[in-house]
């Protein structure tokens, strides 16, 4: 009791940064069962591990424990150090080329592999392994089959289908020469405001547990049957533990569940996945009861390894060790001592981490026995995975076989998954199934938008900056409708904004959330689009004209959509269906008798914008309960719903051009006097000008703009819509920036309006920014009146640029339009 109140006080006052894992002791040994993995310890492998370990130097051992990222190491680094593994993060491709073809991936794998076993420099001959986030298909690769995100698969509730998806994913991954997949995510998502909600199958452990074993079996094969043969890859159950249960759904936040709940709710995916033989577990960014998991000896060593008996390895998450108390990206003995076996060490800091860890072992801060245990685990998995016996990447069964990427068979599996994931929330007056032989109007910006329907972790990490051409072989939701309607002799018009010439018989509206990943998807309210009623007005307009409306809602979580439900006769939660959008039409038109709605909510649907609600809650009162989902057999009318809400929304958010991420409808490009190139990935160059994402609070929530040339060039934000109204009020443009040195006078903020020639205005940034301390984030503001004609006329802001004609570096994390009273009038 006493301990609890200290804990509560600490939480209230300090946010608990100070609590160490050791202060959370448990005597409830009974909570954690021994897991009987289907992968049985093999004496001959254990002997090989021991024999190999005995030959290794300390340097070689530590290199096995460091996992750098492809954007920050070279083949020569691999040759020199002999890393045990490496990864490509979301949106990272060989040679930084988004359009790399499978052969280029394999060639890169081959070079890394050869370098790892080239004993010329580091002296070891242990094959490295490449890990990737194939979290809904091989999602970093152009042309891959993108399956529905996990939230949709949870609604399908079909373990056999999940296994097929995993097997297909493994094949596509192997076609690129990759050995290891960072999936499945087994988070039990308890607060849907979390930006990773869609990576979870459910809010409830039941489906998660069953799925975890199905997917692990699909990726790795079945122990005793086809385990880790040439058609399988290593899988990782992540993120251990409690990632889906942080307070307020804050990514990487604090999970305050008690230990029984931690097991009952958040550990079930590990029970399923480890039983099926998963060979690795990824530590989570979040805290449990105040302490970061990466530093929790209790959870990693005592619970996972000792109590549950896990004998594979634990890999960290993206510099997650750097968040442990007393640690940095460059140094973290505490994580290794807690039981972490591999540091995920993207960014250039891997080198210092490698050196510091060696030093810490020599100085006794990390016992050599711990290092030997970690390396033994890594080697054990490498032997089990056959890495010492497999041919080199180019010579493997699927290597470079382009035909497996986006293979027709895989797309068929994805189509089935799309059909089964759709949940019918409302179908008043049996609006669905639709007859195809009528006049159909398809509206909404999600209708013909494969990027939007695929969500985050799709080619790019955030899933943004893609066009339909970036998904060759894929189809949009509209594509499917088009085929069905034309075949039946109906007529179809696509009109994003809902304008039409001939009155349609029915409207299909496809709309929903823009893509996001991780913390960038955290939201404060579950209300869909609370500040922008353009789509709602459009739907209500159809309703008034007596045109039936079918909504197909794209989202990474259940959302409060009461006004949209009211404005729709039928409403389908489509989640994030992925690259095979055409399959949605199979169900909307019931193209065959089996094509009824099969999806059932694996997440409770909220009754208010701020309702946090889960199956088995006391006083459970969602709008639609867990398990809900109509079929064509049901005759249930959804009544008019309350549209009342008391929302407090951060108004600034809505007026940002960039706020940790690019905000629609703004698009980004680099421009110099002659050329322009769109910013479509995390690092883009144009002559001496470059843009590269950097981390401020979370990954990639800011960018570095640098100009190494002496010609006029800059980064431009362009408004895809009709522009942003900036007429005469007290608004200011606010930039959150960080400088490395004095900014030269030539750096300008330029705002253009309707007619670029007549209305081009710029102010110098140097004075105000140079007044900020160096290497520290701060904000500067410029009244819109500084850009005089802009505010005087009733203009619309079409573009905004940060430009310079001399060498400079500037980090930017936000550009917002905000109201300041009194408006700051200084322009320079
Ligand atoms: C995510 C992981 C992912 C890793 C590598 C992290 O930020 O949390 O899920 O596997 O990045 O991309
Ligand atoms: C990287 C992604 C990575 C993500 C992990 C980002 O900074 O660019 O590739 O997957 O962090 O959180």
């Amino acid at each position: 009791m006493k301990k609890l109140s200290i804990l509560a006080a600490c939480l209230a006052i300090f946010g608990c940064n100070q609590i160490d894992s050791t202060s959370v002791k448990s005597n409830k040994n009974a909570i954690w069962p021994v897991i009987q993995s289907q992968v049985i310890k093999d004496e001959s492998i254990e002997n090989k591990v021991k024999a190999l370990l005995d030959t290794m130097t300390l340097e070689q051992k530590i290199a096995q424990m460091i996992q750098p990222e492809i954007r920050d190491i070279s083949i020569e680094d691999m040759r020199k150090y002999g890393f045990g593994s490496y990864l490509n993060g979301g949106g990272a491709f060989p040679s930084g080329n988004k359009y790399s073809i499978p052969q280029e991936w394999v060639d890169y794998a081959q070079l890394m592999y050869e370098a790892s076993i080239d004993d010329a420099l580091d002296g070891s001959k242990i094959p490295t392994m490449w890990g990737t986030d194939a979290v809904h298909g091989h999602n970093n690769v152009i042309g891959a089959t993108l399956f529905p995100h996990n939230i949709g698969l949870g609604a399908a509730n079909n373990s056999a289908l999940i296994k097929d998806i995993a097997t297909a994913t493994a094949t596509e991954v192997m076609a690129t020469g990759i050995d290891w997949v960072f999936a499945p995510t087994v988070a039990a998502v308890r607060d849907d405001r979390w930006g990773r909600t869609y990576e979870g199958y459910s809010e409830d452990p039941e489906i998660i547990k069953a799925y975890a074993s199905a997917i692990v079996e699909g990726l790795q094969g079945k122990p005793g049957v086809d385990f880790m043969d040439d058609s399988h890859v290593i899988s990782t159950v992540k993120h251990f533990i409690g990632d889906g249960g942080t307070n307020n759904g804050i990514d990487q936040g604090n999970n305050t569940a008690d230990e029984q709940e931690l097991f009952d709710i958040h550990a079930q995916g590990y029970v399923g996945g480890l039983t099926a033989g998963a060979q690795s577990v990824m530590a989570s960014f979040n805290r449990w009861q105040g302490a970061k998991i990466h530093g929790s000896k209790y959870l990693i060593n005592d619970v996972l390894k000792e109590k549950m008996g896990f004998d594979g390895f634990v890999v960290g998450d993206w510099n997650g060790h750097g968040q442990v108390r007393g640690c940095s990206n460059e140094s973290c003995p505490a994580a290794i001592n807690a039981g972490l076996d591999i540091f995920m060490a993207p960014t250039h800091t891997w080198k210092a981490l490698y050196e510091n860890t060696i030093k810490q072992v020599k100085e006794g801060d990390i016992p050599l026995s711990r290092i030997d245990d970690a390396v033994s685990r890594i080697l054990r998995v490498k032997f089990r995975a056959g890495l010492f016996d497999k041919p080199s990447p180019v010579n493997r069964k699927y290597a470079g076989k382009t035909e497996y990427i986006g293979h027709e068979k895989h797309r068929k599996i994805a189509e089935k998954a799309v059909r089964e994931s759709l949940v019918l929330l409302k179908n008043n007056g049996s609006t669905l199934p639709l007859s195809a032989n009528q006049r159909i109007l398809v509206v909404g910006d999600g209708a013909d938008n494969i990027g939007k329907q695929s969500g985050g972790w799709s080619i790019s990490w955030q899933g943004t900056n893609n066009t339909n051409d970036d998904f060759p072989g894929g189809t949009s939701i509209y594509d499917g409708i088009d085929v069905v309607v034309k075949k039946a002799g109906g007529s179809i018009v696509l009109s994003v904004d809902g304008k039409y010439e001939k009155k349609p018989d029915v409207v299909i509206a496809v709309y929903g959330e823009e893509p996001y990943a991780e913390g960038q998807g955290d939201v404060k309210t579950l209300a869909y689009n609370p500040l922008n009623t353009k789509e709602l007005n459009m739907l209500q307009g159809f309703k008034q004209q007596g045109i039936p409306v079918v909504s197909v809602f794209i989202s990474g979580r259940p959302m409060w959509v009461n006004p949209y439900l009211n404005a729709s006769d039928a409403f389908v939660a489509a989640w994030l269906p992925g690259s095979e959008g055409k399959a949605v039409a199979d169900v909307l038109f019931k193209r065959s008798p089996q094509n009824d709605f099969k999806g059932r909510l694996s997440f409770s649907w909220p009754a208010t914008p701020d309702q946090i609600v889960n199956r088995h809650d006391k006083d459970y009162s969602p709008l639609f309960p867990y398990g809900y989902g109509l079929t064509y057999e049901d005759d249930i009318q959804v009544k008019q719903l309350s549209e009342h809400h008391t929302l407090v929304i951060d108004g600034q958010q809505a007026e940002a051009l960039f706020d940790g991420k690019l905000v629609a409808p703004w698009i980004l490009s680099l421009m110099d006097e002659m050329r322009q190139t769109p910013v479509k990935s995390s690092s883009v160059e144009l002559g001496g000008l470059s843009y590269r994402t950097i981390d401020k609070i979370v990954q990639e929530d800011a960018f570095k703009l640098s100009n190494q040339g002496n010609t006029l060039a800059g980064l431009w934000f362009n408004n895809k819509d009709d522009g942003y109204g900036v007429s005469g009020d007290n608004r200011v443009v606010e930039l959150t920036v960080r400088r490395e040195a004095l900014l030269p006078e030539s750096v300008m903020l330029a705002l253009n309006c309707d007619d670029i020639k007549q209305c081009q205005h710029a102010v110098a940034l140097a004075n105000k920014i140079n007044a900020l301390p160096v290497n520290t984030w701060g904000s500067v503001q410029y009244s819109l009146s500084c850009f005089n004609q802009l505010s005087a006329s009733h203009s619309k802001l079409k573009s905004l640029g940060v430009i310079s004609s001399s060498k400079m570096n500037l980090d930017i994390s936000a550009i917002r339009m905000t109201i300041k009273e009194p408006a700051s009038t200084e322009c320079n």
Side-chain angles (χ1 to χ4, degrees):
M1 191 62 223
K2 192 152 170 229
K3 229 187 194 135
L4 263 184
S5 61
I6 295 172
L7 189 65
C10 152
L11 278 172
I13 304 170
F14 305 112
C16 253
N17 285 334
Q18 302 306 321
I19 291 198
D20 203 331
S21 58
T22 47
S23 65
V24 188
K25 287 254 163 54
S26 156
N27 49 13
K28 296 190 215 131
N29 286 354
I31 294 177
W32 305 94
V34 178
I35 306 290
Q36 292 301 342
S37 170
Q38 288 181 39
V39 178
I40 297 171
K41 258 215 179 95
D42 173 338
E43 270 318 307
S44 76
I45 286 185
E46 295 307 308
N47 293 337
K48 286 186 205 162
V49 168
K50 187 156 185 322
L52 181 51
L53 185 74
D54 285 346
T55 67
M56 293 170 74
T57 64
L58 177 59
E59 287 72 15
Q60 290 169 341
K61 290 176 184 174
I62 303 304
Q64 287 299 310
M65 300 172 65
I66 302 258
Q67 179 179 83
E69 206 257 358
I70 63 171
R71 282 168 288 193
D72 280 292
I73 45 157
S74 63
I75 310 280
E76 287 320 303
D77 290 328
M78 178 58 87
R79 198 181 319 280
K80 176 158 177 206
Y81 295 91
F83 298 111
S85 59
Y86 62 102
L87 87 149
N88 71 305
F93 329 95
S95 330
N97 176 14
K98 171 169 174 176
Y99 302 101
S100 285
I101 57 169
Q103 191 58 47
E104 293 172 281
W105 289 73
V106 172
D107 290 344
Y108 182 76
Q110 178 73 7
L111 290 173
M112 286 297 239
Y113 173 92
E114 283 170 357
S116 73
I117 56 165
D118 178 347
D119 59 5
L121 287 174
D122 92 303
S124 91
K125 277 184 166 300
I126 303 173
T128 190
M129 46 187 180
W130 179 353
T132 195
D133 293 294
V135 300
H136 66 137
H138 197 5
N139 46 250
N140 290 299
V141 178
I142 294 278
T145 314
L146 301 193
F147 297 91
H149 266 297
N150 289 348
I151 192 167
L153 300 183
N157 199 359
N158 177 347
S159 297
L161 174 64
I162 294 308
K163 187 171 172 191
D164 290 345
I165 290 175
T167 309
T169 303
T171 307
E172 299 204 13
V173 165
M174 286 181 298
T176 55
I178 297 181
D179 312 274
W180 172 15
V181 161
F182 302 138
T185 294
V186 297
V189 182
R190 308 298 284 175
D191 187 327
D192 304 346
R193 291 173 295 181
W194 188 34
R196 306 191 79 158
T197 297
Y198 65 82
E199 294 188 59
Y201 300 116
S202 177
E203 65 192 25
D204 187 87
E206 188 177 316
I207 292 176
I208 301 171
K209 182 177 175 187
Y211 271 21
S213 64
I215 188 164
V216 167
E217 220 173 87
L219 290 170
Q220 296 191 158
K222 195 169 169 52
V225 183
D226 52 3
F227 182 69
M228 288 289 165
D229 64 6
D230 56 3
S231 303
H232 293 94
V233 294
I234 300 163
S235 111
T236 299
V237 192
K238 72 185 189 184
H239 309 83
F240 186 81
I241 185 179
D243 49 350
T246 59
N247 295 344
N248 301 318
I250 292 173
D251 191 42
Q252 310 189 359
N254 189 17
N255 184 321
T256 49
D258 67 23
E259 194 166 347
Q260 188 67 52
E261 185 180 330
L262 194 68
F263 175 72
D264 293 344
I265 307 277
H266 299 287
Q268 295 309 304
Y270 300 91
V271 175
L274 300 189
T275 306
Q279 292 297 295
S280 81
V281 167
M282 188 182 290
S284 187
F285 277 125
N286 65 275
R287 298 167 193 274
W288 179 51
Q289 300 194 355
K292 283 281 172 183
I293 309 278
H294 277 70
S296 171
K297 177 161 182 302
Y298 178 66
L299 288 173
I300 300 181
N301 184 71
D302 304 0
V303 167
L304 177 63
K305 292 181 173 176
E306 287 182 1
K307 292 184 184 162
M308 294 172 89
F310 174 60
D311 71 358
F313 61 75
V314 178
V315 60
D317 201 347
W318 197 268
N319 276 334
H321 57 271
Q323 301 184 13
V324 174
R325 174 156 73 112
C327 290
S328 65
N329 292 350
E330 293 87 348
S331 165
C332 194
I336 299 297
N337 286 334
L340 192 80
D341 301 310
I342 297 181
F343 283 121
M344 187 186 284
T347 65
H348 66 280
T349 45
W350 60 260
K351 195 160 179 203
L353 183 65
Y354 166 80
E355 281 157 6
N356 287 328
T357 308
I358 292 173
K359 195 160 134 243
Q360 285 148 4
V361 180
K362 288 189 176 155
E363 289 174 357
D365 296 336
I366 306 173
L368 186 60
S369 57
R370 177 70 267 277
I371 300 295
D372 286 344
D373 171 54
V375 178
S376 300
R377 289 168 177 272
I378 297 164
L379 296 178
R380 176 181 297 132
V381 173
K382 288 190 175 187
F383 278 113
R384 283 177 177 166
L387 282 182
F388 291 90
D389 306 320
K390 275 189 186 164
S392 72
V394 285
N395 295 312
R396 293 182 192 161
K397 181 166 162 191
Y398 296 105
K401 301 226 166 110
T402 311
E403 64 271 28
Y404 287 107
I405 302 285
H407 194 286
E408 201 39 44
K409 270 203 212 149
H410 302 166
R411 293 194 190 275
K412 286 275 174 277
I413 298 169
E415 285 169 29
K416 180 171 159 77
V418 171
R419 287 190 293 266
E420 296 196 6
S421 66
L422 303 173
V423 182
L424 182 59
L425 298 181
K426 173 175 179 178
N427 191 20
N428 285 13
S430 297
T431 307
L432 291 175
L434 293 172
S435 132
N437 185 13
Q438 51 179 339
R439 188 183 302 283
I440 293 181
L441 180 69
V442 182
V443 307
D445 68 1
D448 192 23
N449 193 337
I450 308 180
K452 181 159 176 152
Q453 80 200 22
S454 297
W457 299 103
S458 298
I459 310 299
S460 58
W461 175 45
Q462 291 292 321
T464 48
N465 291 327
N466 295 314
T467 64
N468 282 357
D469 293 341
D470 292 331
F471 303 90
T475 50
S476 68
I477 293 174
Y478 169 76
D479 289 332
I481 302 173
D482 185 61
V483 170
V484 177
V485 173
K486 286 193 176 139
K487 203 163 162 194
S491 89
I492 177 162
V493 172
L494 172 66
S495 161
V496 171
D497 62 6
K499 300 209 176 81
Y500 60 82
E501 277 164 19
K502 284 197 186 142
K503 187 173 173 185
D505 299 322
V506 65
V507 163
I508 304 178
V510 190
Y511 55 93
E513 288 188 297
E514 289 299 320
Y516 51 78
E518 300 192 44
Q520 302 210 21
D522 286 1
V523 289
K524 297 204 177 86
T525 166
L526 289 177
Y528 168 65
N529 228 352
L531 290 168
N532 184 342
T533 52
K534 221 158 123 187
E535 284 165 351
L536 183 59
N537 297 343
M538 170 172 81
L539 302 192
Q540 287 168 340
F542 295 129
K543 206 117 217 238
Q544 275 155 19
Q545 294 158 65
I547 306 168
V549 173
V550 176
S551 279
V552 176
F553 186 58
I554 293 174
S555 71
R557 55 188 135 220
M559 302 197 85
W560 186 76
V561 286
N562 283 9
Y564 297 81
L565 279 157
N566 288 340
S568 309
D569 298 275
F571 193 102
V572 178
W575 315 110
L576 299 167
S579 62
E580 308 314 301
K582 71 173 184 202
V584 172
D586 296 345
V587 184
L588 297 183
F589 295 92
K590 196 166 192 251
R591 293 188 70 199
S592 74
Q594 318 83 277
N595 288 340
D596 199 343
F597 281 89
K598 299 205 174 77
R600 304 286 177 270
L601 293 179
S602 60
F603 284 78
S604 308
W605 198 279
T608 63
D610 52 8
Q611 187 184 44
I612 305 307
V613 59
N614 293 301
R615 183 189 192 191
H616 302 314
D617 280 355
K618 237 176 47 218
D619 307 322
Y620 184 61
S621 56
L623 181 64
F624 301 117
Y626 182 98
Y628 175 89
L630 304 175
T631 68
Y632 286 139
E633 302 294 300
D634 294 314
D635 181 18
I636 293 175
Q637 308 299 305
V638 173
K639 304 225 165 59
Q640 182 78 9
L641 301 166
S642 161
E643 299 190 6
H644 174 77
H645 63 80
T646 46
L647 264 187
V648 188
I649 301 150
D650 179 356
Q652 296 196 357
Q653 185 88 2
E655 307 207 324
L657 285 73
F658 191 96
D659 194 359
K661 63 181 171 197
L662 188 65
V663 179
W666 297 94
I667 51 175
L668 267 185
S669 56
L670 296 182
M671 238 195 276
D672 61 17
E673 283 166 313
M674 326 219 319
R675 298 163 298 175
Q676 172 171 13
T677 183
V679 173
K680 283 192 163 188
S681 61
S682 50
S683 122
V684 182
E685 287 175 12
L686 179 72
L689 187 70
S690 70
Y691 164 99
R692 179 166 181 181
T693 53
I694 55 171
D695 306 347
K696 183 184 171 201
I697 296 168
V698 296
Q699 300 95 318
E700 295 197 280
D701 57 349
F703 59 84
K704 179 182 294 297
L705 181 67
S706 75
N707 188 353
Q708 295 311 319
N710 282 315
T711 48
L712 184 64
L715 174 75
W716 284 91
F717 290 79
N718 292 306
N719 190 296
K720 270 198 304 187
D721 287 354
D722 33 343
Y724 172 82
V726 286
S727 50
D729 60 18
N730 52 354
R731 255 175 288 188
V732 300
V733 192
E734 180 180 78
L735 284 82
T736 308
V737 293
R738 182 174 69 178
R739 66 184 176 93
E740 285 174 6
L742 284 179
L743 214 58
E745 289 296 324
S746 78
V747 184
M748 310 281 258
L749 178 66
L751 271 64
N752 289 338
C753 44
D754 311 336
D755 178 346
I756 286 198
K757 277 195 215 88
Q758 278 187 29
C759 187
Q760 191 170 51
H761 304 280
V763 296
L765 287 172
N767 271 354
K768 287 191 184 185
I769 292 185
N770 287 339
L772 298 173
V774 74
N775 288 329
T776 311
W777 289 100
S779 295
V780 292
Q781 291 161 357
Y782 300 90
S783 162
L784 283 186
S785 62
C786 297
F787 309 86
N788 33 28
Q789 267 174 319
L790 259 187
S791 52
S793 66
H794 283 251
S795 302
K796 293 209 163 169
L797 178 63
K798 284 282 190 70
S799 56
L800 175 152
V802 180
I803 54 180
S804 88
S805 56
S806 52
K807 289 201 165 77
M808 68 100 172
N809 285 312
L810 183 64
D811 297 346
I812 301 180
S813 74
I815 300 182
R816 295 192 195 92
M817 296 293 170
T818 154
I819 295 181
K820 280 276 136 60
E821 308 228 32
S824 98
T825 46
E826 268 175 52
C827 294
N828 284 306

